[in-house]
Amino acid sequence: MTTDHADEPRPEPLHEWRRRGFTIAEARQWIEDGFPIHTAERWRGSGVYTAAEARAWRTAGATPFTVDLWLRAGMTPRDAVQWRELGYSPEEAADRHLAGERPHPRGWLGRLLHRGERPGGAFADEERSHSMRELLRTGIPAGRARPYVEAGWTGADAVEWAKRGIEAGQARVFEALGLSAREAERVLSSGQDAISLMTEFWRAGVPIEEVAAWRAAGFTGEEAARMRAEGVGVEQAEVLRALTEGDEPGREA
């Protein structure tokens, strides 16, 4: 008899299974794999009807409460294990599987953003679940919301960035530089991305804490560096930045 989940009670006698609607053959399979009746019923209620399937899904890291996500995506336990071993959350793996992707390693930016995450942790992370619900309630599509949640944003912090369609990795860099979602959107509209913005000002010798003020006020890195050399303080850039705050009716930063 399998005993890999020692914290669960031992399976009940055969007659109890028969009384709950299991055939003798079904009951024996569940009993041999160490499942008590209530757990077997939960698996069957989630769409996993045999003990062998439940054992495979349990090995893949699923529970009766979480397996539905993978089943709706048409995934097998083998698919789930492959995606999990590559560092993808269950939600992201399901999305990618539905899109026709096969398991593959993340790019360097994905590995950076997901560094230190525990595979499968999203299922047990109530904070992330809450953040996802917050984003979905605002009308943000799941495919756009999920990268923010997986990158560690809270729902409230991510809303304005996600509404404007800013990629989560770019948003993280813009935020670290001190720009608002509105200001970041303007930067992207000009044809510049977060990394090039950061390197431009760093190469010009502008302190990181001043980047947002100078860029939001409309200055390039070279212009900001020249003005600083001429004695113009960042305070004047902050004044110009503040003047731009009210020029986009109906939008909040």
Side-chain angles (χ1 to χ4, degrees):
M1 182 181 297
T2 301
T3 58
D4 55 337
H5 279 222
D7 56 327
E8 287 191 346
R10 295 175 61 83
E12 296 84 351
L14 185 60
H15 70 272
E16 288 292 331
W17 291 78
R18 294 284 291 127
R19 190 170 63 82
R20 300 281 277 271
F22 290 80
T23 67
I24 292 176
E26 290 170 342
R28 283 177 174 166
Q29 289 175 356
W30 289 102
I31 290 171
E32 287 174 3
D33 278 309
F35 291 95
I37 292 174
H38 74 277
T39 302
E41 289 177 332
R42 285 173 179 166
W43 279 110
R44 298 212 305 184
S46 298
V48 178
Y49 299 106
T50 70
E53 290 177 325
R55 183 176 65 250
W57 278 115
R58 188 169 64 182
T59 301
T63 73
F65 305 103
T66 62
V67 72
D68 181 61
L69 175 70
W70 282 325
L71 290 175
R72 284 188 284 110
M75 295 171 66
T76 66
R78 181 181 176 82
D79 294 326
V81 169
Q82 289 176 330
W83 283 110
R84 185 184 66 181
E85 288 179 347
L86 290 168
Y88 291 85
S89 71
E91 295 90 343
E92 191 174 7
D95 273 355
R96 290 177 179 270
H97 188 86
L98 279 170
E101 295 184 35
R102 299 305 303 156
H104 57 273
R106 291 184 182 277
W108 71 269
L109 181 57
R111 291 195 297 271
L112 177 65
L113 291 175
H114 294 78
R115 183 174 54 193
E117 288 188 358
R118 179 169 56 88
F123 272 145
D125 194 330
E126 179 56 34
E127 184 177 342
R128 289 188 180 184
S129 297
H130 177 70
S131 294
M132 176 61 78
R133 289 193 295 270
E134 278 192 284
L135 289 167
L136 294 177
R137 274 198 298 268
T138 66
I140 294 167
R144 189 188 302 173
R146 186 158 294 123
Y148 278 91
V149 176
E150 292 302 315
W153 291 74
T154 64
D157 290 340
V159 168
E160 285 302 320
W161 297 90
K163 276 184 177 179
R164 295 169 188 267
I166 300 172
E167 189 269 326
Q170 295 248 15
R172 182 63 82 197
V173 178
F174 280 128
E175 185 195 42
L177 291 173
L179 278 83
S180 68
R182 180 194 299 182
E183 291 165 344
E185 185 178 44
R186 288 174 176 157
V187 171
L188 292 170
S189 296
S190 74
Q192 189 173 38
D193 62 22
I195 299 298
S196 65
L197 169 66
M198 179 175 64
T199 55
E200 174 194 339
F201 277 80
W202 283 1
R203 286 171 178 163
V206 178
I208 188 171
E209 63 271 15
E210 295 185 14
V211 171
W214 289 109
R215 183 60 179 85
F219 297 102
T220 66
E222 289 184 3
E223 291 169 340
R226 186 170 60 251
M227 294 179 72
R228 293 179 81 251
E230 294 171 353
V232 179
V234 71
E235 295 80 10
Q236 294 191 43
E238 288 283 11
V239 172
L240 291 173
R241 180 187 189 185
L243 293 175
T244 69
E245 288 298 302
D247 65 357
E248 190 179 7
R251 300 288 288 273
E252 295 180 0

